[in-house]
Amino acid sequence: MPAAPWAIIAREMLDTTQSEAAPPEDEPRGCLFALSQPPLMIFLAVIGCLILMAALHDLLLL
């Protein structure tokens, strides 16, 4: 009788050893770090202004 497939998955899930390819802890990462970059904020501000101008044009002039 073959072993249940969930037993193999459960045994692998219990392995909590750290891999050697883990990123260093002092490296900043995540969405908040990306949003703190000035070129991205300038780009998002320009796109937001263009969308606002298009919406105001549609509401007030058409």
Side-chain angles (χ1 to χ4, degrees), residues 15-23 25:
D15 182 20
T16 58
T17 57
Q18 294 288 330
S19 65
E20 294 180 12
E25 291 298 323

Side-chain angles (χ1 to χ4, degrees), residues 32-53:
L32 291 178
F33 173 73
L35 284 178
S36 68
Q37 303 303 311
L40 177 62
M41 294 306 294
I42 293 171
F43 171 76
L44 292 176
V46 169
I47 297 299
C49 287
L50 290 174
I51 292 174
L52 179 65
M53 288 171 45

